Amino acid sequence: MAETGRDIAKAAELLRSGEVVAIPTETVYGLAANALNPEACVRIFEIKERPFFDPLIVHIRGIEEVLRYAIEFPPEAKELCQRYWPGPLTVVLKKREIIPDIVTAGHDSVALRVPAHEVTLNLLQMLDFPLAAPSANPFGYVSPTRASHVEKQLGSKIPYILDGGPCRVGIESTIIRFGGERPELLRLGGMDTRILKETLGEFTESLHQGSNPGAPGQLDQHYAPLTRFILLKTGEQPFPIKGVKTALIRFRDYSTDFPEQDQYILSDTGDLHIAANQLFAVLRETDEKGYGQIIAETVPEVGIGRAINDRLRRAAAKGISPE
Ligand code: TXA
Ligand code: MG
């Protein structure tokens, strides 16, 4: 069983000796190892049961470290990072030799991010290497936003969970790739895309590219609960099936045609940031309560709402989705 605690020095010591440790970030908990140690990184893939074609994000302590790991830092990437790091932004840049192939799945680019979490920033300060860390969940399952989520699923496989409290943002970072003709948005996440437009002007969206294992990340079916999961469009009526205990996940208010105790509201004030913060915890809770099916409604497709809907669609890709 993993020990859960707030001992940063202990986490640092384990990481130095090549162990894998769960760490808090503002988005979700990560499963971290020394990014410059290929054997330690292989352990991440084993523990997560993650396919080797899916590359890892490398967490660094500040913008001044970018050129240690990337060959170039285009001005528009730099501007974006200056504005939003530490924060839920990951940039993909041409990599230097020092980053092992296992981290980038053999690609010539590396994903870098400075997390906005004091505990992990302090940890990075104590280390003389960056941390490769995917979300700390079994591959394809919902990402963890509490130390207890990690403990439940991966507790038997790692020695230590560094507890930083509940994650503030609650969904993963926004990923942008640089180095092509235009910046490319690869994953919707904790950053509002309106903010991206403001800083970058033009960029292309290359979302949902990854049912092709050749292209990194973004598998269609991901973030998925084990229970049958159905996604409704906003305003569409839920259709309970007789004899099947059903949970209903809604954005802001209760449906009058459904038992209230089986309804889960993401934000009763209609705040999309709160909804993002609650999303994965609610998916886990409903998945663990023994429901026969979970029905969810999309949220307004604006700002961070796009990233929430993206996660809901992927969760539903396994079940029956009307979209
Ligand atoms: O918020 C987050 O980003 C969290 C926390 C722990 O930092 N991490 C996270 O990692 O969500 P993960 O492994 O669940 O997602 C990493 C994704 C990959 O699936 C891939 O889409 C993208 O990052 N990625 C990593 N390296 C890449 C590269 N070289 N080129 C393109 N995409 C890359
Ligand atoms: Mg993940």
Side-chain angles (χ1 to χ4, degrees), residues 23 25-31 48 50 54-57 59 88 90 92-93 103-104 107-111 113 115 133-137 143 171-175 177 186-187 209 216-218 222-223:
I23 57 163
T25 83
E26 81 283 26
T27 58
V28 300
Y29 274 76
L31 195 60
K48 257 189 87 100
R50 178 182 177 110
D54 198 2
L56 307 176
I57 294 174
H59 298 70
T90 296
V92 176
L93 304 170
V103 171
T104 64
H107 291 268
D108 64 358
S109 56
V110 60
R113 147 167 147 80
S135 51
N137 51 282
S143 298
I171 51 177
E172 300 82 351
S173 59
T174 301
I175 305 180
R177 178 161 53 199
L186 299 183
R187 177 173 76 182
Q209 53 176 308
Q218 297 303 73
H222 218 91
Y223 314 107

Side-chain angles (χ1 to χ4, degrees), residues 3-16:
E3 184 188 335
T4 298
R6 294 179 179 260
D7 189 344
I8 302 178
K10 175 166 184 163
E13 203 36 57
L14 286 163
L15 289 162
R16 278 186 210 111

Side-chain angles (χ1 to χ4, degrees), residues 12-79:
E13 203 36 57
L14 286 163
L15 289 162
R16 278 186 210 111
S17 62
E19 298 275 357
V20 172
V21 168
I23 57 163
T25 83
E26 81 283 26
T27 58
V28 300
Y29 274 76
L31 195 60
N34 177 351
L36 308 181
N37 175 343
E39 288 81 34
C41 292
V42 167
R43 289 281 300 133
I44 294 180
F45 286 88
E46 288 172 353
I47 291 167
K48 257 189 87 100
E49 297 180 40
R50 178 182 177 110
F52 286 112
F53 64 72
D54 198 2
L56 307 176
I57 294 174
V58 174
H59 298 70
I60 57 176
R61 54 189 167 203
I63 195 167
E64 66 288 349
E65 289 208 317
V66 167
L67 285 170
R68 273 200 209 171
Y69 309 112
I71 292 170
E72 49 191 43
F73 198 8
E76 73 268 32
K78 193 167 182 182
E79 193 190 331

Side-chain angles (χ1 to χ4, degrees), residues 70 95 108 118 128 133 138 148 161 166 185 224 252 262 299 310:
K95 85 175 188 80
D108 64 358
E118 216 189 310
D128 57 5
S148 61
I161 299 167
L185 176 63
R252 69 173 304 171
D262 293 324
V299 303
D310 168 77

